[in-house]
Amino acid sequence: MKYKIAVLAGDGIGPEIVDQAIKVLKAVAQKFDHEFDFKPALTGASAIDEVGEPYPQTTHDTCMESDAVLFGAIGDPKYDNDPAAKVRPEQGLLKMRKDLGLYANIRPVTTFDSLLHKSPLRKDIVEGADFVVVRELTGGIYFGEKGRSEDLTKAFDHCVYSTEEVERILKLAYSYAGKRNKRLTVVDKANVLCTSRLWREVAQKMEKEYADIETDYMFVDNAAMQLIQWPKKFDVMVTENMFGDILSDEASVITGSLGLLPSASVGIHTSVFEPIHGSYPQAAGKDIANPVATILSAAMLLESLDLPEEAKAVRNAVNRSLEENIVTEDIAEEKACKTSEVGDWLAENI
Ligand code: IPM
Ligand code: MG
Protein backbone atom coordinates (compact mmCIF):
# COMPACT_ATOMS: atom_id res chain seq x y z
CA MET A 1 0.00 0.00 0.00
CA LYS A 2 0.98 3.61 -0.50
CA TYR A 3 0.82 6.16 2.33
CA LYS A 4 1.56 9.85 2.57
CA ILE A 5 3.33 10.87 5.77
CA ALA A 6 3.81 14.52 6.69
CA VAL A 7 7.10 15.05 8.51
CA LEU A 8 7.25 18.01 10.88
CA ALA A 9 10.72 17.71 12.34
CA GLY A 10 10.66 21.05 14.19
CA ASP A 11 13.44 22.33 16.42
CA GLY A 12 16.42 21.22 18.50
CA ILE A 13 16.93 17.48 18.28
CA GLY A 14 13.68 17.16 16.26
CA PRO A 15 15.33 16.74 12.84
CA GLU A 16 17.90 14.14 13.94
CA ILE A 17 15.44 11.92 15.82
CA VAL A 18 12.88 12.14 13.05
CA ASP A 19 15.58 11.07 10.56
CA GLN A 20 16.02 7.83 12.51
CA ALA A 21 12.28 7.13 12.52
CA ILE A 22 12.25 7.68 8.75
CA LYS A 23 15.11 5.18 8.33
CA VAL A 24 13.09 2.64 10.28
CA LEU A 25 9.90 3.36 8.33
CA LYS A 26 11.81 2.95 5.07
CA ALA A 27 13.03 -0.45 6.28
CA VAL A 28 9.43 -1.36 7.13
CA ALA A 29 8.30 -0.25 3.66
CA GLN A 30 10.92 -2.44 2.05
CA LYS A 31 10.22 -5.49 4.14
CA PHE A 32 6.42 -5.33 3.91
CA ASP A 33 6.23 -3.94 0.41
CA HIS A 34 4.68 -0.56 1.15
CA GLU A 35 5.45 2.88 -0.14
CA PHE A 36 5.77 5.79 2.27
CA ASP A 37 5.81 9.18 0.66
CA PHE A 38 7.43 11.54 3.20
CA LYS A 39 6.42 15.20 2.91
CA PRO A 40 8.56 17.54 5.02
CA ALA A 41 6.91 20.70 6.37
CA LEU A 42 7.97 23.57 8.62
CA THR A 43 6.92 24.03 12.23
CA GLY A 44 8.07 25.62 15.49
CA ALA A 45 10.91 28.10 15.90
CA SER A 46 12.47 26.99 12.62
CA ALA A 47 9.21 27.92 10.85
CA ILE A 48 9.16 31.31 12.60
CA ASP A 49 12.72 31.91 11.40
CA GLU A 50 11.85 31.01 7.81
CA VAL A 51 8.32 32.27 7.28
CA GLY A 52 7.39 34.23 10.42
CA GLU A 53 4.85 31.81 11.88
CA PRO A 54 5.13 28.48 13.70
CA TYR A 55 2.38 26.53 11.88
CA PRO A 56 2.01 28.03 8.40
CA GLN A 57 -0.94 27.26 6.16
CA THR A 58 1.26 25.24 3.79
CA THR A 59 2.20 22.97 6.69
CA HIS A 60 -1.46 22.58 7.63
CA ASP A 61 -2.32 21.71 4.02
CA THR A 62 0.42 19.07 3.97
CA CYS A 63 -0.93 17.55 7.20
CA MET A 64 -4.51 17.54 5.89
CA GLU A 65 -3.45 15.76 2.70
CA SER A 66 -1.47 13.11 4.56
CA ASP A 67 -2.44 9.79 6.14
CA ALA A 68 -0.45 10.56 9.28
CA VAL A 69 1.93 13.14 10.71
CA LEU A 70 5.31 12.30 12.21
CA PHE A 71 6.32 15.11 14.54
CA GLY A 72 9.71 15.76 16.14
CA ALA A 73 9.77 18.48 18.78
CA ILE A 74 9.42 22.22 19.03
CA GLY A 75 10.82 24.92 21.24
CA ASP A 76 13.84 27.17 21.40
CA PRO A 77 15.41 28.73 24.50
CA LYS A 78 15.44 32.16 22.87
CA TYR A 79 11.66 32.30 23.39
CA ASP A 80 11.49 30.75 26.85
CA ASN A 81 12.88 33.74 28.69
CA ASP A 82 11.02 36.32 26.68
CA PRO A 83 7.41 36.56 27.94
CA ALA A 84 6.84 39.49 25.57
CA ALA A 85 7.63 37.55 22.37
CA LYS A 86 4.79 38.10 19.88
CA VAL A 87 5.05 34.72 18.22
CA ARG A 88 6.18 31.59 20.04
CA PRO A 89 6.94 28.10 18.72
CA GLU A 90 4.38 26.58 21.13
CA GLN A 91 1.60 28.54 19.41
CA GLY A 92 2.30 26.39 16.37
CA LEU A 93 1.66 23.23 18.32
CA LEU A 94 -1.59 24.57 19.76
CA LYS A 95 -2.74 25.77 16.35
CA MET A 96 -1.95 22.41 14.81
CA ARG A 97 -3.98 20.62 17.53
CA LYS A 98 -6.91 22.97 17.05
CA ASP A 99 -6.87 23.04 13.24
CA LEU A 100 -6.49 19.26 12.94
CA GLY A 101 -9.13 18.73 15.64
CA LEU A 102 -6.74 16.61 17.72
CA TYR A 103 -8.85 16.43 20.85
CA ALA A 104 -7.08 13.50 22.48
CA ASN A 105 -3.48 12.94 23.43
CA ILE A 106 -2.67 9.33 24.20
CA ARG A 107 0.42 8.55 26.22
CA PRO A 108 1.07 4.90 26.98
CA VAL A 109 3.44 4.53 29.93
CA THR A 110 5.27 1.22 29.99
CA THR A 111 8.25 0.00 31.91
CA PHE A 112 11.27 -1.65 30.34
CA ASP A 113 12.78 -4.21 32.69
CA SER A 114 16.33 -3.36 31.69
CA LEU A 115 15.77 0.28 32.67
CA LEU A 116 14.01 0.00 36.01
CA HIS A 117 17.12 1.21 37.83
CA LYS A 118 16.79 4.53 35.96
CA SER A 119 13.48 5.29 37.63
CA PRO A 120 13.49 7.85 40.43
CA LEU A 121 11.17 5.43 42.25
CA ARG A 122 11.96 2.13 43.93
CA LYS A 123 12.00 -0.88 41.62
CA ASP A 124 9.18 -2.66 43.51
CA ILE A 125 6.92 0.37 43.04
CA VAL A 126 7.40 0.72 39.27
CA GLU A 127 8.07 -2.82 38.10
CA GLY A 128 5.19 -3.84 35.83
CA ALA A 129 3.53 -0.41 35.75
CA ASP A 130 1.58 -0.16 32.52
CA PHE A 131 -1.05 2.48 31.97
CA VAL A 132 -2.28 5.05 29.49
CA VAL A 133 -2.89 8.74 30.09
CA VAL A 134 -5.64 10.16 27.88
CA ARG A 135 -5.45 13.94 27.92
CA GLU A 136 -8.11 16.23 26.43
CA LEU A 137 -6.17 18.44 24.04
CA THR A 138 -8.28 21.15 22.42
CA GLY A 139 -10.34 22.61 25.25
CA GLY A 140 -10.06 23.97 28.76
CA ILE A 141 -7.84 26.76 29.98
CA TYR A 142 -5.46 26.41 27.03
CA PHE A 143 -8.09 27.59 24.60
CA GLY A 144 -10.47 29.74 26.66
CA GLU A 145 -10.63 33.50 26.44
CA LYS A 146 -7.53 35.11 27.90
CA GLY A 147 -6.36 38.65 28.44
CA ARG A 148 -5.11 41.50 30.57
CA SER A 149 -6.94 44.41 32.17
CA GLU A 150 -6.38 47.81 30.62
CA ASP A 151 -3.96 48.89 33.34
CA LEU A 152 -2.16 45.53 32.89
CA THR A 153 -2.33 44.71 36.60
CA LYS A 154 -4.69 41.76 36.11
CA ALA A 155 -4.72 38.78 33.77
CA PHE A 156 -7.16 35.96 33.20
CA ASP A 157 -7.46 32.59 31.41
CA HIS A 158 -10.91 31.10 31.17
CA CYS A 159 -11.43 27.37 31.45
CA VAL A 160 -14.37 26.23 29.34
CA TYR A 161 -15.71 22.77 28.47
CA SER A 162 -18.87 21.69 26.69
CA THR A 163 -20.76 18.46 27.31
CA GLU A 164 -19.90 17.37 23.79
CA GLU A 165 -16.16 17.86 24.31
CA VAL A 166 -16.26 15.86 27.52
CA GLU A 167 -18.34 13.08 25.98
CA ARG A 168 -16.07 12.51 23.01
CA ILE A 169 -12.88 12.27 25.07
CA LEU A 170 -14.53 9.96 27.61
CA LYS A 171 -15.79 7.78 24.80
CA LEU A 172 -12.27 7.43 23.48
CA ALA A 173 -10.89 6.74 26.96
CA TYR A 174 -13.53 4.05 27.51
CA SER A 175 -12.61 2.42 24.23
CA TYR A 176 -8.96 2.22 25.38
CA ALA A 177 -10.01 0.84 28.76
CA GLY A 178 -12.18 -1.73 26.97
CA LYS A 179 -9.16 -2.99 25.01
CA ARG A 180 -6.97 -3.05 28.13
CA ASN A 181 -7.68 -3.96 31.75
CA LYS A 182 -11.14 -2.41 31.88
CA ARG A 183 -10.45 0.25 34.45
CA LEU A 184 -10.92 3.96 33.91
CA THR A 185 -9.91 6.70 36.34
CA VAL A 186 -11.53 10.08 35.68
CA VAL A 187 -9.31 12.80 37.13
CA ASP A 188 -10.78 16.21 37.97
CA LYS A 189 -11.09 18.87 40.64
CA ALA A 190 -14.84 18.63 41.10
CA ASN A 191 -14.61 19.82 44.69
CA VAL A 192 -13.61 23.26 43.41
CA LEU A 193 -14.11 23.73 39.66
CA CYS A 194 -17.35 24.08 37.77
CA THR A 195 -15.86 22.56 34.60
CA SER A 196 -14.77 19.54 36.65
CA ARG A 197 -18.31 19.11 37.94
CA LEU A 198 -19.50 19.03 34.34
CA TRP A 199 -16.87 16.36 33.58
CA ARG A 200 -18.04 14.30 36.52
CA GLU A 201 -21.71 14.70 35.65
CA VAL A 202 -21.11 13.53 32.08
CA ALA A 203 -18.87 10.66 33.23
CA GLN A 204 -21.40 9.46 35.80
CA LYS A 205 -24.01 9.25 33.06
CA MET A 206 -21.70 7.47 30.61
CA GLU A 207 -20.37 5.05 33.17
CA LYS A 208 -23.71 3.19 33.03
CA GLU A 209 -23.29 2.53 29.31
CA TYR A 210 -19.90 0.95 30.00
CA ALA A 211 -20.93 -1.44 32.73
CA ASP A 212 -18.05 -3.85 31.93
CA ILE A 213 -15.56 -1.13 32.80
CA GLU A 214 -14.80 -0.12 36.36
CA THR A 215 -14.90 3.67 36.57
CA ASP A 216 -13.45 5.58 39.47
CA TYR A 217 -13.00 9.26 40.18
CA MET A 218 -10.02 11.02 41.65
CA PHE A 219 -9.18 14.63 42.43
CA VAL A 220 -6.13 15.78 40.53
CA ASP A 221 -3.98 16.49 43.60
CA ASN A 222 -4.69 13.01 44.92
CA ALA A 223 -4.00 11.52 41.47
CA ALA A 224 -0.61 13.26 41.36
CA MET A 225 0.23 11.60 44.66
CA GLN A 226 -1.13 8.15 43.83
CA LEU A 227 0.75 8.06 40.52
CA ILE A 228 3.98 8.15 42.51
CA GLN A 229 2.86 5.87 45.32
CA TRP A 230 1.02 3.20 43.38
CA PRO A 231 1.62 3.63 39.63
CA LYS A 232 0.62 -0.01 39.11
CA LYS A 233 -2.96 0.59 40.16
CA PHE A 234 -3.76 2.64 37.05
CA ASP A 235 -4.99 1.30 33.73
CA VAL A 236 -6.45 4.23 31.77
CA MET A 237 -6.53 7.72 33.21
CA VAL A 238 -8.54 10.45 31.49
CA THR A 239 -8.42 14.13 32.29
CA GLU A 240 -8.78 17.67 31.01
CA ASN A 241 -6.10 19.57 29.11
CA MET A 242 -4.01 21.26 31.80
CA PHE A 243 -4.26 18.49 34.40
CA GLY A 244 -3.27 16.10 31.63
CA ASP A 245 -0.29 18.23 30.66
CA ILE A 246 1.04 18.02 34.20
CA LEU A 247 0.12 14.43 35.01
CA SER A 248 1.42 13.07 31.73
CA ASP A 249 4.85 14.61 32.37
CA GLU A 250 4.82 13.18 35.86
CA ALA A 251 3.79 9.79 34.53
CA SER A 252 6.46 9.81 31.86
CA VAL A 253 9.41 10.01 34.24
CA ILE A 254 8.38 7.43 36.79
CA THR A 255 9.40 4.56 34.56
CA GLY A 256 12.85 6.06 34.04
CA SER A 257 12.51 6.07 30.29
CA LEU A 258 11.65 9.58 29.17
CA GLY A 259 13.61 9.04 25.96
CA LEU A 260 11.58 5.93 25.10
CA LEU A 261 7.98 7.03 25.45
CA PRO A 262 5.84 7.79 22.40
CA SER A 263 2.51 9.57 22.04
CA ALA A 264 -0.34 9.97 19.61
CA SER A 265 -2.69 12.89 19.19
CA VAL A 266 -5.91 11.88 17.53
CA GLY A 267 -9.24 13.44 16.70
CA ILE A 268 -11.09 14.68 13.68
CA HIS A 269 -8.44 15.00 10.94
CA THR A 270 -4.96 13.51 10.45
CA SER A 271 -3.39 12.04 13.60
CA VAL A 272 0.00 13.21 14.85
CA PHE A 273 2.67 10.94 16.36
CA GLU A 274 5.46 12.37 18.45
CA PRO A 275 7.85 11.58 21.28
CA ILE A 276 6.78 12.91 24.65
CA HIS A 277 10.07 14.67 25.32
CA GLY A 278 10.90 18.17 24.16
CA SER A 279 13.39 19.68 21.74
CA TYR A 280 16.41 19.26 24.09
CA PRO A 281 18.31 22.20 22.53
CA GLN A 282 21.53 21.46 24.46
CA ALA A 283 21.90 18.22 22.49
CA ALA A 284 20.88 19.53 19.06
CA GLY A 285 23.23 18.50 16.27
CA LYS A 286 25.39 16.35 18.57
CA ASP A 287 24.01 12.98 17.47
CA ILE A 288 23.46 11.93 21.10
CA ALA A 289 19.68 12.19 21.63
CA ASN A 290 17.67 9.02 22.11
CA PRO A 291 15.63 8.39 18.93
CA VAL A 292 13.58 5.52 20.39
CA ALA A 293 10.58 7.59 21.59
CA THR A 294 10.18 8.88 18.03
CA ILE A 295 10.66 5.40 16.56
CA LEU A 296 8.01 3.99 18.92
CA SER A 297 5.78 6.90 17.88
CA ALA A 298 6.30 5.64 14.32
CA ALA A 299 5.11 2.23 15.58
CA MET A 300 1.93 3.89 16.89
CA LEU A 301 1.62 5.60 13.51
CA LEU A 302 1.77 2.21 11.78
CA GLU A 303 -0.94 0.88 14.09
CA SER A 304 -3.13 3.84 13.20
CA LEU A 305 -2.74 2.90 9.53
CA ASP A 306 -3.95 -0.57 10.47
CA LEU A 307 -0.52 -2.13 9.99
CA PRO A 308 -0.12 -4.10 13.26
CA GLU A 309 2.46 -6.58 11.94
CA GLU A 310 4.64 -3.73 10.75
CA ALA A 311 4.32 -1.98 14.11
CA LYS A 312 5.25 -5.18 15.87
CA ALA A 313 8.41 -5.49 13.79
CA VAL A 314 9.43 -2.04 14.99
CA ARG A 315 8.65 -2.83 18.65
CA ASN A 316 10.54 -6.13 18.46
CA ALA A 317 13.60 -4.42 17.00
CA VAL A 318 13.47 -1.80 19.77
CA ASN A 319 13.20 -4.47 22.47
CA ARG A 320 16.18 -6.29 21.03
CA SER A 321 18.24 -3.09 20.85
CA LEU A 322 17.58 -2.50 24.55
CA GLU A 323 18.56 -6.05 25.43
CA GLU A 324 21.74 -5.80 23.39
CA ASN A 325 22.59 -2.36 24.75
CA ILE A 326 22.44 -0.66 21.34
CA VAL A 327 21.37 2.54 23.04
CA THR A 328 22.26 6.21 23.41
CA GLU A 329 24.14 7.71 26.33
CA ASP A 330 21.05 8.53 28.43
CA ILE A 331 20.50 4.83 29.09
CA ALA A 332 23.78 3.16 28.10
CA GLU A 333 25.50 1.03 30.71
CA GLU A 334 28.90 0.94 29.06
CA LYS A 335 29.59 2.15 25.59
CA ALA A 336 26.94 4.50 24.23
CA CYS A 337 25.85 4.55 20.60
CA LYS A 338 25.15 7.67 18.61
CA THR A 339 21.59 8.64 17.64
CA SER A 340 22.31 7.70 14.02
CA GLU A 341 23.88 4.36 15.00
CA VAL A 342 20.77 3.36 16.94
CA GLY A 343 18.66 4.32 13.91
CA ASP A 344 20.89 2.32 11.55
CA TRP A 345 20.82 -0.74 13.81
CA LEU A 346 17.04 -0.64 14.16
CA ALA A 347 16.52 -0.20 10.42
CA GLU A 348 18.80 -3.16 9.72
CA ASN A 349 17.01 -5.27 12.30
CA ILE A 350 13.47 -4.75 11.07
C1 IPM B 1 2.95 19.13 25.73
C2 IPM B 1 3.69 20.44 25.88
C3 IPM B 1 2.83 21.56 25.31
C4 IPM B 1 1.55 21.63 26.12
C5 IPM B 1 3.51 22.93 25.25
C6 IPM B 1 4.82 22.87 24.51
C7 IPM B 1 2.61 23.99 24.70
O1 IPM B 1 4.02 20.68 27.21
O2 IPM B 1 2.70 18.72 24.58
O3 IPM B 1 2.63 18.52 26.73
O4 IPM B 1 1.52 22.27 27.17
O5 IPM B 1 0.56 21.05 25.70
MG1 MG C 1 3.50 19.13 28.51
Side-chain angles (χ1 to χ4, degrees), residues 94 97-98 137-146 158 241:
L94 300 182
R97 290 174 181 168
K98 200 65 173 180
L137 205 56
T138 50
I141 198 166
Y142 273 62
F143 291 95
E145 197 192 330
K146 47 188 92 243
H158 281 168
N241 204 343

Side-chain angles (χ1 to χ4, degrees), residues 7 86 93 152 164 178 186 204-205 220 222 264 292 301 335:
V7 178
K86 289 240 156 39
L93 192 59
L152 303 180
E164 193 199 342
V186 181
Q204 282 170 344
K205 262 190 213 141
V220 62
N222 184 21
V292 170
L301 182 156
K335 191 188 149 297

Side-chain angles (χ1 to χ4, degrees), residues 74 90 93-94 97 107 135 137 142 241 245 248-249:
I74 59 156
E90 290 78 10
L93 192 59
L94 300 182
R97 290 174 181 168
R107 285 191 181 189
R135 165 188 175 192
L137 205 56
Y142 273 62
N241 204 343
D245 178 45
S248 57
D249 264 28

Side-chain angles (χ1 to χ4, degrees), residues 41-74:
L42 287 171
T43 191
S46 46
I48 300 177
D49 291 344
E50 284 208 29
V51 296
E53 46 180 327
Y55 184 65
Q57 183 64 38
T58 47
T59 296
H60 181 62
D61 294 342
T62 304
C63 292
M64 289 295 285
E65 288 158 13
S66 300
D67 298 300
V69 179
L70 182 65
F71 195 96
I74 59 156

Side-chain angles (χ1 to χ4, degrees), residues 34-272:
H34 298 302
E35 206 177 305
F36 295 129
D37 187 4
F38 297 103
K39 300 268 178 208
L42 287 171
T43 191
S46 46
I48 300 177
D49 291 344
E50 284 208 29
V51 296
E53 46 180 327
Y55 184 65
Q57 183 64 38
T58 47
T59 296
H60 181 62
D61 294 342
T62 304
C63 292
M64 289 295 285
E65 288 158 13
S66 300
D67 298 300
V69 179
L70 182 65
F71 195 96
I74 59 156
D76 189 297
K78 73 182 174 206
Y79 296 95
D80 293 346
N81 299 318
D82 178 10
K86 289 240 156 39
V87 271
R88 323 183 63 84
E90 290 78 10
Q91 287 163 347
L93 192 59
L94 300 182
K95 186 161 168 41
M96 176 181 79
R97 290 174 181 168
K98 200 65 173 180
D99 292 356
L100 291 176
L102 305 173
Y103 61 80
N105 181 241
I106 318 289
R107 285 191 181 189
V109 177
T110 33
T111 46
F112 296 86
D113 286 343
S114 54
L115 294 176
L116 286 175
H117 63 285
K118 293 272 175 193
S119 171
L121 300 181
R122 277 203 327 262
K123 185 175 170 202
D124 61 300
I125 294 180
V126 277
E127 195 167 23
D130 178 3
F131 58 93
V132 177
V133 180
V134 177
R135 165 188 175 192
E136 202 290 328
L137 205 56
T138 50
I141 198 166
Y142 273 62
F143 291 95
E145 197 192 330
K146 47 188 92 243
R148 293 281 284 268
S149 64
E150 243 166 63
D151 68 359
L152 303 180
T153 60
K154 274 188 204 143
F156 64 90
D157 298 275
H158 281 168
C159 183
V160 184
Y161 269 108
S162 69
T163 309
E164 193 199 342
E165 285 173 314
V166 180
E167 270 168 5
R168 69 180 177 185
I169 187 82
L170 285 173
K171 201 167 153 195
L172 195 131
Y174 270 118
S175 91
Y176 271 86
K179 285 183 259 165
R180 293 177 45 97
N181 293 324
K182 306 205 168 1
R183 281 184 291 119
L184 181 68
T185 306
V186 181
V187 175
D188 63 26
K189 188 76 185 173
N191 50 348
V192 177
L193 301 177
C194 205
T195 40
S196 283
R197 287 197 278 274
L198 178 75
W199 271 71
R200 208 172 266 222
E201 203 178 283
V202 173
Q204 282 170 344
K205 262 190 213 141
M206 283 177 72
E207 144 179 22
K208 299 187 185 92
E209 293 164 37
Y210 295 90
D212 59 324
I213 290 164
E214 186 191 320
T215 308
D216 69 338
Y217 299 86
M218 214 178 265
F219 294 141
V220 62
D221 45 352
N222 184 21
M225 186 180 76
Q226 296 214 26
L227 256 183
I228 295 293
Q229 262 183 323
W230 298 293
K232 280 184 252 192
K233 79 185 251 182
F234 293 99
D235 180 23
V236 178
M237 173 189 279
V238 62
T239 191
E240 65 95 54
N241 204 343
M242 173 113 115
F243 297 160
D245 178 45
I246 298 166
L247 290 178
S248 57
D249 264 28
E250 185 190 352
S252 67
V253 293
I254 61 182
T255 66
S257 25
L258 185 62
L260 301 186
L261 299 183
S263 83
S265 296
V266 306
I268 298 166
H269 302 294
T270 322
S271 302
V272 174

